[in-house]
Amino acid sequence: MKALILFVLLPVTLLSQPKVLTLEDAVKIALENNNQVRTARLELIKSDEKLVEARSNLIPQITLSGSYSRYLKKPVLFLPPRFTIWKVNGWRDRDRL
């Protein structure tokens, strides 16, 4: 029974011992957990990204688009009753044909 109690309490006592911090470790932990330092780091990253965004406008941009249509039937184009057509010697009215 004493061995069981010792077996259970020994890890608890080993884990509960205080950790000794050096000055460098304390400063490092303080800088990692300080909100003002975090905000300053994020603002620095933000300004770097804005600089990259501003420079990206100097790079040429290419836009490409396309389309494809497949008709099963020939498309029909409806024109108004009076329209002009091109003839070799000039314009002619449809009504005069």
Side-chain angles (χ1 to χ4, degrees):
M1 182 72 172
K2 288 183 182 182
L4 181 63
I5 293 174
L6 184 64
F7 182 70
V8 171
L9 292 179
L10 185 61
V12 173
T13 57
L14 291 176
L15 292 175
S16 66
Q17 291 180 356
K19 182 180 178 183
V20 178
L21 288 177
T22 63
L23 180 62
E24 291 82 16
D25 291 339
V27 169
K28 182 180 174 184
I29 292 171
L31 289 176
E32 288 174 358
N33 296 324
N34 189 341
N35 286 335
Q36 290 177 342
V37 174
R38 285 183 186 173
T39 304
R41 284 186 191 135
L42 291 175
E43 288 295 325
L44 183 63
I45 293 170
K46 182 178 167 183
S47 65
D48 288 341
E49 294 301 321
K50 282 188 175 183
L51 184 61
V52 169
E53 181 182 355
R55 287 181 179 164
S56 70
N57 289 331
L58 300 175
I59 300 171
Q61 298 177 359
I62 298 173
T63 304
L64 180 68
S65 65
S67 65
Y68 172 76
S69 299
R70 181 176 177 193
Y71 295 107
L72 296 177
K73 294 181 180 179
K74 186 176 178 182
V76 178
L77 181 64
F78 295 101
L79 297 174
R82 181 166 173 85
F83 68 95
T84 56
I85 58 172
W86 180 256
K87 192 120 166 108
V88 177
N89 58 358
W91 289 97
R92 275 180 66 178
D93 283 336
R94 179 182 167 263
D95 295 338
R96 293 184 189 166
L97 291 176

